Amino acid sequence: MTTLFSRYMFRQAANAFLVILLTLSAVVWLATALKELDLITSRGQGMWLFFQMTLLSLPSLVALIAPNALLMAALYTLDRMNNDSELIVMTAAGAPIWRIGASLFALATLVSIAIVITNLYLTPASMRELRSFITQVRADLISQVIQPGRFSSPEPGLTFHIRDRSPTGDLLGLLVHDERDPKQVMSYLAERGRIITNDEGAYLVMFEGYVHRYDGGDKDKAMQIVAFDQNMLDLSEFNPEDDAVKDLRPRERNLGDLISPRPDDKVAQRHAGRLRAELHDRLSTPLYPLVFAFVAVALLAHARTTRESRWGQILAAAAIAIGLRVAGLTASNLAHEAWAVPLVYAIPIGAILVAAWAAHVRMSPELRSKLTFELKFPKTIRFWTDRGMHSK
């Protein structure tokens, strides 16, 4: 009977978890996708590239949402089963709280394993792939964004304009105005331009034109005009948001790169604390599904009468879970320093132990250190504790 009940409860919790996870992931993904609509509206990219780039952010989003989805599924399942008197029946049949919570612990273990795989393998791979897509978009910036007869500003202070495009793809009547540096404003005018890409990057080659240069901070200084037959601009200069170094960022690194980076790794040399924090955050996050499962069992797995409202316990479980997660994130941020690393693991492990102790104590009334008073006025007054002491 208990095995049949465990399977039934596992199916109920798993179905609720999947529905909540998919719903929350879809909402968060849509919110993220809306922020990237400029890929289509202002950068001239296609819908397929837009969906590819936004979908690559899903692994990290799912790993972040999954523990919260498990908590919500566990609270929903336990509350519904109590309202349907299923927990009451199982408790009356002699099932201990660990039998009732076993299905939730099994589901939490599976979720934790999935988060481990996501954090260690899927998220770094997706972040690296996303970075390559962003590099591709920025490399195609000039050829994709600039439209004949329109002034395009891919970033503040930088403006492009062309008169037309030739059948070979050359840019005719090219204007590039760069005032990002107020101290040195540059304007390029060329009869035609061409985009050239190679292994070293993307370049804009301009033919038969002029460069207008003047100092924006000194109005009295004369403008300098230089004619050229051929001039070349590195398009990476028009992407200040890109990393100055080609080294992988912490979120893009595999586990091995976090544990033992290369001796010549500039990012590891300058930001060793960030790599440490990223490593321990990836390893500690999978503990939180188990934390939330134990919290839910400790507060809601005990059978109660259907007339009793359990909203107080549900809100208490949610508040405790939020507090623990905030404390865990704070410890992860502090893990830039080596002394804070034990806190990253002490918070979830300590929460599991405390929740397990609380669930066991609530299951065994004789272990409760609680005073109970019963008053029968005026004949007798009885007073007893958990040890069975009484007087008349």
Side-chain angles (χ1 to χ4, degrees):
M1 176 179 177
T2 54
T3 301
L4 182 63
F5 175 80
S6 297
R7 293 177 181 176
Y8 166 76
M9 187 172 182
F10 182 86
R11 287 196 302 269
Q12 297 295 316
N15 290 337
F17 168 74
L18 291 177
V19 170
I20 296 172
L21 178 64
L22 293 177
T23 302
L24 294 178
S25 299
V27 171
V28 176
W29 177 78
L30 286 175
T32 304
L34 290 175
K35 296 180 181 179
E36 302 295 337
L37 277 178
D38 66 315
L39 288 171
I40 297 176
T41 57
S42 65
R43 298 199 174 188
Q45 302 299 323
M47 287 292 295
W48 175 238
L49 180 62
F50 167 75
F51 280 112
Q52 283 182 300
M53 292 184 65
T54 53
L55 287 174
L56 285 173
S57 63
L58 272 182
S60 59
L61 291 177
V62 170
L64 183 64
I65 294 171
N68 303 317
L70 177 71
L71 173 66
M72 297 171 67
L75 296 177
Y76 165 78
T77 302
L78 291 172
D79 184 61
R80 187 194 63 78
M81 296 183 72
N82 185 79
N83 291 336
D84 294 343
S85 300
E86 293 170 329
L87 291 184
I88 297 174
V89 171
M90 289 303 299
T91 303
I97 193 173
W98 304 119
R99 173 61 64 182
I100 296 174
S103 300
L104 296 179
F105 300 148
L107 178 61
T109 301
L110 294 178
V111 174
S112 296
I113 294 174
I115 294 177
V116 168
I117 296 174
T118 301
N119 284 352
L120 299 186
Y121 303 103
L122 296 183
T123 296
S126 65
M127 290 294 102
R128 291 194 300 270
E129 188 67 18
L130 179 60
R131 185 178 185 181
S132 68
F133 272 113
I134 293 175
T135 303
Q136 174 186 341
V137 170
R138 291 173 179 172
D140 295 341
L141 182 63
I142 305 300
S143 60
Q144 294 292 335
V145 173
I146 297 181
Q147 301 298 325
R150 294 179 55 186
F151 289 90
S152 302
S153 296
E155 63 179 88
L158 184 63
T159 304
F160 291 92
H161 181 273
I162 61 172
R163 184 181 70 250
D164 200 359
R165 288 180 185 270
S166 70
T168 59
D170 286 354
L171 310 176
L172 305 179
L174 175 63
L175 164 66
V176 179
H177 182 68
D178 184 4
E179 56 180 0
R180 294 173 299 170
D181 184 0
K183 297 181 179 180
Q184 187 173 1
V185 180
M186 307 282 290
S187 294
Y188 300 86
L189 300 172
E191 288 294 327
R192 60 188 178 93
R194 182 180 304 164
I195 305 296
I196 297 177
T197 59
N198 53 34
D199 294 338
E200 297 181 357
Y203 302 90
L204 173 62
V205 181
M206 296 174 288
F207 303 93
E208 302 176 6
Y210 299 89
V211 179
H212 294 199
R213 180 188 301 119
Y214 68 93
D215 188 349
D218 188 357
K219 302 298 183 180
D220 298 330
K221 190 173 183 180
M223 177 185 297
Q224 299 178 358
I225 302 178
V226 179
F228 61 83
D229 293 329
Q230 180 176 322
N231 197 354
M232 184 172 64
L233 291 177
D234 186 354
L235 297 185
S236 63
E237 297 178 359
F238 300 142
N239 298 309
E241 68 273 28
D242 199 7
D243 292 332
V245 296
K246 296 183 178 179
D247 299 281
L248 294 176
R249 290 170 289 186
R251 293 287 293 173
E252 300 167 348
R253 293 171 178 260
N254 291 321
L255 183 62
D257 294 332
L258 293 175
I259 296 176
S260 57
R262 302 186 312 272
D264 59 343
D265 193 329
K266 297 180 180 179
V267 173
Q269 295 172 1
R270 293 195 303 266
H271 306 290
R274 292 176 55 188
L275 299 186
R276 182 189 304 111
E278 176 66 22
L279 170 63
H280 294 290
D281 182 69
R282 290 189 194 180
L283 297 178
S284 62
T285 300
L287 294 173
Y288 283 91
L290 291 170
V291 171
F292 294 165
F294 273 92
V295 170
V297 169
L299 292 179
L300 274 84
H302 300 85
R304 292 291 184 269
T305 174
T306 55
R307 297 180 180 180
E308 179 183 348
S309 175
R310 311 194 84 187
W311 277 108
Q313 295 170 321
I314 293 175
L315 294 177
I320 292 173
I322 292 174
L324 290 173
R325 194 67 189 101
V326 170
L329 292 174
T330 303
S332 296
N333 292 331
L334 293 176
H336 287 78
E337 303 293 336
W339 65 266
V341 170
L343 288 177
V344 177
Y345 302 95
I347 291 173
I349 293 176
I352 290 174
L353 296 177
V354 172
W357 174 83
H360 183 70
V361 168
R362 294 188 66 194
M363 178 183 65
S364 306
E366 67 275 5
L367 296 180
R368 300 179 187 175
S369 56
K370 177 181 178 182
L371 296 178
T372 304
F373 295 88
E374 177 179 291
L375 177 63
K376 292 184 179 180
F377 185 80
K379 294 184 178 179
T380 60
I381 298 178
R382 295 185 179 180
F383 163 76
W384 69 90
T385 65
D386 57 324
R387 298 182 180 180
M389 298 171 56
H390 65 273
S391 60
K392 295 185 181 180

